[in-house]
Amino acid sequence: MTDPIRPQPGIMDIALYEGGAAHVAGISDAIKLSSNENPFGPSDKAKEAFQRAVHKLHRYPNTDHLALRQAIGEAHGLDPARIICGVGSDEIIHFLCQAYAGPRDEVVFTEHGFLMYRISAMAAGATPVSVRERERTTDVDALLAACTRRTKLVFIANPNNPTGTMIGPAEVERLAAGLPKQAILVLDGAYAEYVEGFDGGAELIARRSNVFMTRTFSKIYGLGGLRIGWGYGPKSIIDVLNRIRGPFNLSSAQLDTAEAAVRDQDHVDRCRAENTRLRAWLAEALAERGVPSDTSTANFILARFADEAEAAACDAYLQTQGLIVRRVAGYGLPHCLRITIGDEASCRRVAHAIGQFKGQK
Ligand SMILES: *Cc1c(COP(=O)(O)O)cnc(C)c1O
């Protein structure tokens, strides 16, 4: 007999998201390079704001997020009225799918794209459509060819996770201009701050009514544990998303900490500079040891191995050395390992260990 209590169609087809591993059995001081976290952590000013928030835990948080939206607006030169804040950019992605896609609608994304696009599309009852990339890079022509009159949302992460590659502003604009009229282009800028001088697409959004951008405090701001993200786009879309946003979706601790973090752009600049330096060093060190990678624009490197077996064996060896990296078979890249750029000591350790792994074969 079938259970009369049933979820909506499609929900049970959603594969559970698996985060990067955090522990290795038997090793207490393992280095976690599996979740693209900032090894330097958040700004001291953000930590102080979090500590001060303890004094108002009995109060409900503000519902309009005005102070945080103003701080984001000042830091990025954006209109606060066109910003929405959420529980990570994951929640903004979820709002977009819930508001704009439903049964028989299509949500398009790239083949090695972020897993949340598929999960949120399916949660909304929509059909996920995965589009091939070219050399692990977003292919605008392939995306445009995949669009139909049912396409409601097209997600690209730029820079992309887990490939680390990105496409330039002219290509992004060609994509936006070529979409069917009913579709929104969502630019996921989770790693935008790692690209010096990059606006994540803000300037394009100022000129077009079909482009939206998501951003996060989880990566360069070092606040993944606190869950804060934001979106920026046309006022009409912000107005729609605010209708399904829970009024108290962000706690006062989240709001105050994020506001202090975004006001400390010196910290962001320091983290970007260190990441750029160490990323170049690690990519070259791995290449010298026979492990190639595409030029990364984010805070990780996608290391390529001969095949799935070699990637798995290297991952197992790294674990014995107390180094946790990310298998990305779930992203369609079974022969690769995604390695977050840690601090200098971590980069040296992972390069040394991969050299030993390659040498012992
Ligand atoms: C890490 C990441 C995010 C951030 O998600 P949050 O919910 O803000 O922590 C979004 N998109 C991509 C592509 C990511 O890699």
PDB file of all heavy atoms in Angstrom, residues 8-11 97-107 120-128 149-152:
ATOM      1  N   GLN A   8       5.362  16.556  -2.421  1.00  0.00           N
ATOM      2  CA  GLN A   8       5.070  16.993  -3.780  1.00  0.00           C
ATOM      3  C   GLN A   8       5.890  16.172  -4.782  1.00  0.00           C
ATOM      4  O   GLN A   8       7.002  15.735  -4.470  1.00  0.00           O
ATOM      5  CB  GLN A   8       5.423  18.473  -3.927  1.00  0.00           C
ATOM      6  CG  GLN A   8       4.472  19.412  -3.199  1.00  0.00           C
ATOM      7  CD  GLN A   8       3.091  19.417  -3.837  1.00  0.00           C
ATOM      8  OE1 GLN A   8       2.951  19.619  -5.034  1.00  0.00           O
ATOM      9  NE2 GLN A   8       2.080  19.157  -3.031  1.00  0.00           N
ATOM     10  N   PRO A   9       5.352  15.992  -6.011  1.00  0.00           N
ATOM     11  CA  PRO A   9       6.092  15.232  -7.028  1.00  0.00           C
ATOM     12  C   PRO A   9       7.487  15.813  -7.222  1.00  0.00           C
ATOM     13  O   PRO A   9       7.663  17.030  -7.238  1.00  0.00           O
ATOM     14  CB  PRO A   9       5.250  15.419  -8.297  1.00  0.00           C
ATOM     15  CG  PRO A   9       3.887  15.799  -7.827  1.00  0.00           C
ATOM     16  CD  PRO A   9       4.061  16.494  -6.511  1.00  0.00           C
ATOM     17  N   GLY A  10       8.463  14.955  -7.366  1.00  0.00           N
ATOM     18  CA  GLY A  10       9.829  15.404  -7.655  1.00  0.00           C
ATOM     19  C   GLY A  10      10.695  15.560  -6.425  1.00  0.00           C
ATOM     20  O   GLY A  10      11.922  15.476  -6.517  1.00  0.00           O
ATOM     21  N   ILE A  11      10.066  15.765  -5.241  1.00  0.00           N
ATOM     22  CA  ILE A  11      10.882  16.036  -4.050  1.00  0.00           C
ATOM     23  C   ILE A  11      11.797  14.850  -3.735  1.00  0.00           C
ATOM     24  O   ILE A  11      12.983  15.024  -3.435  1.00  0.00           O
ATOM     25  CB  ILE A  11       9.990  16.350  -2.825  1.00  0.00           C
ATOM     26  CG1 ILE A  11       9.129  17.594  -3.074  1.00  0.00           C
ATOM     27  CG2 ILE A  11      10.830  16.478  -1.555  1.00  0.00           C
ATOM     28  CD1 ILE A  11       9.871  18.899  -3.119  1.00  0.00           C
ATOM     29  N   CYS A  97      13.879  30.394  -7.528  1.00  0.00           N
ATOM     30  CA  CYS A  97      13.219  29.213  -8.107  1.00  0.00           C
ATOM     31  C   CYS A  97      11.770  29.129  -7.663  1.00  0.00           C
ATOM     32  O   CYS A  97      10.873  28.858  -8.462  1.00  0.00           O
ATOM     33  CB  CYS A  97      13.980  27.942  -7.725  1.00  0.00           C
ATOM     34  SG  CYS A  97      15.571  27.782  -8.550  1.00  0.00           S
ATOM     35  N   GLN A  98      11.539  29.385  -6.368  1.00  0.00           N
ATOM     36  CA  GLN A  98      10.175  29.289  -5.843  1.00  0.00           C
ATOM     37  C   GLN A  98       9.266  30.325  -6.512  1.00  0.00           C
ATOM     38  O   GLN A  98       8.114  30.041  -6.830  1.00  0.00           O
ATOM     39  CB  GLN A  98      10.216  29.523  -4.334  1.00  0.00           C
ATOM     40  CG  GLN A  98       9.020  28.952  -3.602  1.00  0.00           C
ATOM     41  CD  GLN A  98       8.993  29.399  -2.145  1.00  0.00           C
ATOM     42  OE1 GLN A  98      10.031  29.728  -1.553  1.00  0.00           O
ATOM     43  NE2 GLN A  98       7.806  29.423  -1.572  1.00  0.00           N
ATOM     44  N   ALA A  99       9.806  31.519  -6.738  1.00  0.00           N
ATOM     45  CA  ALA A  99       8.970  32.607  -7.256  1.00  0.00           C
ATOM     46  C   ALA A  99       8.773  32.518  -8.765  1.00  0.00           C
ATOM     47  O   ALA A  99       7.734  32.945  -9.279  1.00  0.00           O
ATOM     48  CB  ALA A  99       9.589  33.954  -6.892  1.00  0.00           C
ATOM     49  N   TYR A 100       9.765  32.009  -9.495  1.00  0.00           N
ATOM     50  CA  TYR A 100       9.708  32.117 -10.956  1.00  0.00           C
ATOM     51  C   TYR A 100       9.599  30.790 -11.698  1.00  0.00           C
ATOM     52  O   TYR A 100       9.368  30.798 -12.906  1.00  0.00           O
ATOM     53  CB  TYR A 100      10.924  32.897 -11.472  1.00  0.00           C
ATOM     54  CG  TYR A 100      10.817  34.376 -11.138  1.00  0.00           C
ATOM     55  CD1 TYR A 100      11.464  34.919 -10.033  1.00  0.00           C
ATOM     56  CD2 TYR A 100      10.012  35.214 -11.908  1.00  0.00           C
ATOM     57  CE1 TYR A 100      11.337  36.259  -9.713  1.00  0.00           C
ATOM     58  CE2 TYR A 100       9.875  36.562 -11.602  1.00  0.00           C
ATOM     59  CZ  TYR A 100      10.544  37.072 -10.499  1.00  0.00           C
ATOM     60  OH  TYR A 100      10.402  38.402 -10.189  1.00  0.00           O
ATOM     61  N   ALA A 101       9.799  29.657 -11.015  1.00  0.00           N
ATOM     62  CA  ALA A 101       9.766  28.385 -11.737  1.00  0.00           C
ATOM     63  C   ALA A 101       8.830  27.405 -11.045  1.00  0.00           C
ATOM     64  O   ALA A 101       8.811  27.320  -9.822  1.00  0.00           O
ATOM     65  CB  ALA A 101      11.174  27.797 -11.825  1.00  0.00           C
ATOM     66  N   GLY A 102       8.074  26.684 -11.816  1.00  0.00           N
ATOM     67  CA  GLY A 102       7.158  25.683 -11.263  1.00  0.00           C
ATOM     68  C   GLY A 102       7.053  24.519 -12.225  1.00  0.00           C
ATOM     69  O   GLY A 102       7.847  24.404 -13.167  1.00  0.00           O
ATOM     70  N   PRO A 103       6.067  23.639 -12.003  1.00  0.00           N
ATOM     71  CA  PRO A 103       5.904  22.480 -12.882  1.00  0.00           C
ATOM     72  C   PRO A 103       5.842  22.902 -14.354  1.00  0.00           C
ATOM     73  O   PRO A 103       5.207  23.901 -14.688  1.00  0.00           O
ATOM     74  CB  PRO A 103       4.573  21.877 -12.422  1.00  0.00           C
ATOM     75  CG  PRO A 103       4.498  22.268 -10.964  1.00  0.00           C
ATOM     76  CD  PRO A 103       5.123  23.631 -10.887  1.00  0.00           C
ATOM     77  N   ARG A 104       6.543  22.158 -15.198  1.00  0.00           N
ATOM     78  CA  ARG A 104       6.654  22.367 -16.652  1.00  0.00           C
ATOM     79  C   ARG A 104       7.602  23.501 -17.024  1.00  0.00           C
ATOM     80  O   ARG A 104       7.890  23.702 -18.191  1.00  0.00           O
ATOM     81  CB  ARG A 104       5.282  22.572 -17.324  1.00  0.00           C
ATOM     82  CG  ARG A 104       4.435  21.293 -17.368  1.00  0.00           C
ATOM     83  CD  ARG A 104       3.052  21.530 -17.924  1.00  0.00           C
ATOM     84  NE  ARG A 104       2.324  22.528 -17.161  1.00  0.00           N
ATOM     85  CZ  ARG A 104       1.745  22.294 -15.980  1.00  0.00           C
ATOM     86  NH1 ARG A 104       1.805  21.083 -15.443  1.00  0.00           N
ATOM     87  NH2 ARG A 104       1.109  23.248 -15.343  1.00  0.00           N
ATOM     88  N   ASP A 105       8.082  24.266 -16.046  1.00  0.00           N
ATOM     89  CA  ASP A 105       9.093  25.288 -16.359  1.00  0.00           C
ATOM     90  C   ASP A 105      10.485  24.668 -16.299  1.00  0.00           C
ATOM     91  O   ASP A 105      10.705  23.675 -15.607  1.00  0.00           O
ATOM     92  CB  ASP A 105       9.041  26.442 -15.343  1.00  0.00           C
ATOM     93  CG  ASP A 105       7.760  27.238 -15.459  1.00  0.00           C
ATOM     94  OD1 ASP A 105       7.182  27.269 -16.560  1.00  0.00           O
ATOM     95  OD2 ASP A 105       7.345  27.816 -14.440  1.00  0.00           O
ATOM     96  N   GLU A 106      11.416  25.299 -17.010  1.00  0.00           N
ATOM     97  CA  GLU A 106      12.793  24.798 -17.036  1.00  0.00           C
ATOM     98  C   GLU A 106      13.751  25.779 -16.370  1.00  0.00           C
ATOM     99  O   GLU A 106      13.628  26.989 -16.525  1.00  0.00           O
ATOM    100  CB  GLU A 106      13.232  24.549 -18.487  1.00  0.00           C
ATOM    101  CG  GLU A 106      12.478  23.389 -19.109  1.00  0.00           C
ATOM    102  CD  GLU A 106      12.607  23.305 -20.618  1.00  0.00           C
ATOM    103  OE1 GLU A 106      13.198  24.221 -21.227  1.00  0.00           O
ATOM    104  OE2 GLU A 106      12.090  22.329 -21.185  1.00  0.00           O
ATOM    105  N   VAL A 107      14.687  25.204 -15.620  1.00  0.00           N
ATOM    106  CA  VAL A 107      15.753  25.977 -14.977  1.00  0.00           C
ATOM    107  C   VAL A 107      17.071  25.466 -15.549  1.00  0.00           C
ATOM    108  O   VAL A 107      17.394  24.288 -15.426  1.00  0.00           O
ATOM    109  CB  VAL A 107      15.717  25.813 -13.443  1.00  0.00           C
ATOM    110  CG1 VAL A 107      16.911  26.514 -12.797  1.00  0.00           C
ATOM    111  CG2 VAL A 107      14.401  26.356 -12.880  1.00  0.00           C
ATOM    112  N   SER A 120      17.217  23.460  -5.889  1.00  0.00           N
ATOM    113  CA  SER A 120      16.152  24.464  -5.734  1.00  0.00           C
ATOM    114  C   SER A 120      15.125  24.377  -6.860  1.00  0.00           C
ATOM    115  O   SER A 120      13.930  24.568  -6.630  1.00  0.00           O
ATOM    116  CB  SER A 120      16.750  25.877  -5.678  1.00  0.00           C
ATOM    117  OG  SER A 120      17.445  26.055  -4.463  1.00  0.00           O
ATOM    118  N   ALA A 121      15.593  24.083  -8.072  1.00  0.00           N
ATOM    119  CA  ALA A 121      14.661  23.931  -9.194  1.00  0.00           C
ATOM    120  C   ALA A 121      13.704  22.772  -8.932  1.00  0.00           C
ATOM    121  O   ALA A 121      12.481  22.894  -9.095  1.00  0.00           O
ATOM    122  CB  ALA A 121      15.439  23.699 -10.495  1.00  0.00           C
ATOM    123  N   MET A 122      14.257  21.647  -8.482  1.00  0.00           N
ATOM    124  CA  MET A 122      13.419  20.466  -8.240  1.00  0.00           C
ATOM    125  C   MET A 122      12.486  20.690  -7.054  1.00  0.00           C
ATOM    126  O   MET A 122      11.350  20.218  -7.044  1.00  0.00           O
ATOM    127  CB  MET A 122      14.307  19.240  -8.039  1.00  0.00           C
ATOM    128  CG  MET A 122      15.016  18.834  -9.332  1.00  0.00           C
ATOM    129  SD  MET A 122      16.194  17.499  -9.094  1.00  0.00           S
ATOM    130  CE  MET A 122      15.079  16.092  -9.000  1.00  0.00           C
ATOM    131  N   ALA A 123      12.960  21.419  -6.050  1.00  0.00           N
ATOM    132  CA  ALA A 123      12.103  21.713  -4.894  1.00  0.00           C
ATOM    133  C   ALA A 123      10.895  22.531  -5.322  1.00  0.00           C
ATOM    134  O   ALA A 123       9.821  22.446  -4.718  1.00  0.00           O
ATOM    135  CB  ALA A 123      12.906  22.452  -3.820  1.00  0.00           C
ATOM    136  N   ALA A 124      11.064  23.335  -6.373  1.00  0.00           N
ATOM    137  CA  ALA A 124       9.953  24.154  -6.874  1.00  0.00           C
ATOM    138  C   ALA A 124       9.087  23.377  -7.867  1.00  0.00           C
ATOM    139  O   ALA A 124       8.101  23.914  -8.377  1.00  0.00           O
ATOM    140  CB  ALA A 124      10.511  25.412  -7.539  1.00  0.00           C
ATOM    141  N   GLY A 125       9.455  22.123  -8.148  1.00  0.00           N
ATOM    142  CA  GLY A 125       8.689  21.308  -9.090  1.00  0.00           C
ATOM    143  C   GLY A 125       9.069  21.551 -10.541  1.00  0.00           C
ATOM    144  O   GLY A 125       8.439  21.032 -11.452  1.00  0.00           O
ATOM    145  N   ALA A 126      10.102  22.374 -10.764  1.00  0.00           N
ATOM    146  CA  ALA A 126      10.525  22.692 -12.129  1.00  0.00           C
ATOM    147  C   ALA A 126      11.482  21.623 -12.655  1.00  0.00           C
ATOM    148  O   ALA A 126      11.954  20.773 -11.905  1.00  0.00           O
ATOM    149  CB  ALA A 126      11.198  24.060 -12.159  1.00  0.00           C
ATOM    150  N   THR A 127      11.777  21.694 -13.951  1.00  0.00           N
ATOM    151  CA  THR A 127      12.652  20.722 -14.597  1.00  0.00           C
ATOM    152  C   THR A 127      14.067  21.289 -14.703  1.00  0.00           C
ATOM    153  O   THR A 127      14.262  22.326 -15.340  1.00  0.00           O
ATOM    154  CB  THR A 127      12.127  20.413 -16.018  1.00  0.00           C
ATOM    155  OG1 THR A 127      10.772  19.984 -15.897  1.00  0.00           O
ATOM    156  CG2 THR A 127      12.968  19.338 -16.694  1.00  0.00           C
ATOM    157  N   PRO A 128      15.048  20.626 -14.084  1.00  0.00           N
ATOM    158  CA  PRO A 128      16.434  21.104 -14.220  1.00  0.00           C
ATOM    159  C   PRO A 128      17.000  20.714 -15.577  1.00  0.00           C
ATOM    160  O   PRO A 128      16.775  19.602 -16.052  1.00  0.00           O
ATOM    161  CB  PRO A 128      17.167  20.379 -13.083  1.00  0.00           C
ATOM    162  CG  PRO A 128      16.353  19.174 -12.781  1.00  0.00           C
ATOM    163  CD  PRO A 128      14.933  19.436 -13.211  1.00  0.00           C
ATOM    164  N   ARG A 149      10.731  28.119 -24.739  1.00  0.00           N
ATOM    165  CA  ARG A 149       9.738  29.040 -24.179  1.00  0.00           C
ATOM    166  C   ARG A 149       9.357  28.654 -22.744  1.00  0.00           C
ATOM    167  O   ARG A 149       8.647  29.383 -22.068  1.00  0.00           O
ATOM    168  CB  ARG A 149       8.514  29.164 -25.098  1.00  0.00           C
ATOM    169  CG  ARG A 149       7.818  27.900 -25.368  1.00  0.00           C
ATOM    170  CD  ARG A 149       6.846  28.002 -26.537  1.00  0.00           C
ATOM    171  NE  ARG A 149       6.513  26.660 -26.988  1.00  0.00           N
ATOM    172  CZ  ARG A 149       5.720  25.847 -26.303  1.00  0.00           C
ATOM    173  NH1 ARG A 149       5.137  26.252 -25.207  1.00  0.00           N
ATOM    174  NH2 ARG A 149       5.502  24.608 -26.732  1.00  0.00           N
ATOM    175  N   ARG A 150       9.845  27.498 -22.289  1.00  0.00           N
ATOM    176  CA  ARG A 150       9.595  27.114 -20.892  1.00  0.00           C
ATOM    177  C   ARG A 150      10.708  27.568 -19.950  1.00  0.00           C
ATOM    178  O   ARG A 150      10.600  27.406 -18.736  1.00  0.00           O
ATOM    179  CB  ARG A 150       9.480  25.593 -20.782  1.00  0.00           C
ATOM    180  CG  ARG A 150       8.330  25.002 -21.558  1.00  0.00           C
ATOM    181  CD  ARG A 150       8.144  23.553 -21.133  1.00  0.00           C
ATOM    182  NE  ARG A 150       7.239  22.831 -21.989  1.00  0.00           N
ATOM    183  CZ  ARG A 150       5.919  22.953 -21.956  1.00  0.00           C
ATOM    184  NH1 ARG A 150       5.360  23.797 -21.112  1.00  0.00           N
ATOM    185  NH2 ARG A 150       5.159  22.240 -22.754  1.00  0.00           N
ATOM    186  N   THR A 151      11.796  28.074 -20.480  1.00  0.00           N
ATOM    187  CA  THR A 151      12.934  28.465 -19.632  1.00  0.00           C
ATOM    188  C   THR A 151      12.587  29.703 -18.812  1.00  0.00           C
ATOM    189  O   THR A 151      12.217  30.733 -19.365  1.00  0.00           O
ATOM    190  CB  THR A 151      14.178  28.768 -20.503  1.00  0.00           C
ATOM    191  OG1 THR A 151      14.429  27.635 -21.331  1.00  0.00           O
ATOM    192  CG2 THR A 151      15.389  29.060 -19.627  1.00  0.00           C
ATOM    193  N   LYS A 152      12.725  29.607 -17.491  1.00  0.00           N
ATOM    194  CA  LYS A 152      12.417  30.749 -16.618  1.00  0.00           C
ATOM    195  C   LYS A 152      13.663  31.326 -15.963  1.00  0.00           C
ATOM    196  O   LYS A 152      13.718  32.517 -15.683  1.00  0.00           O
ATOM    197  CB  LYS A 152      11.415  30.320 -15.530  1.00  0.00           C
ATOM    198  CG  LYS A 152      10.051  29.934 -16.074  1.00  0.00           C
ATOM    199  CD  LYS A 152       9.338  31.144 -16.676  1.00  0.00           C
ATOM    200  CE  LYS A 152       8.019  30.782 -17.328  1.00  0.00           C
ATOM    201  NZ  LYS A 152       7.012  30.340 -16.380  1.00  0.00           N
TER     202      LYS A 152
END
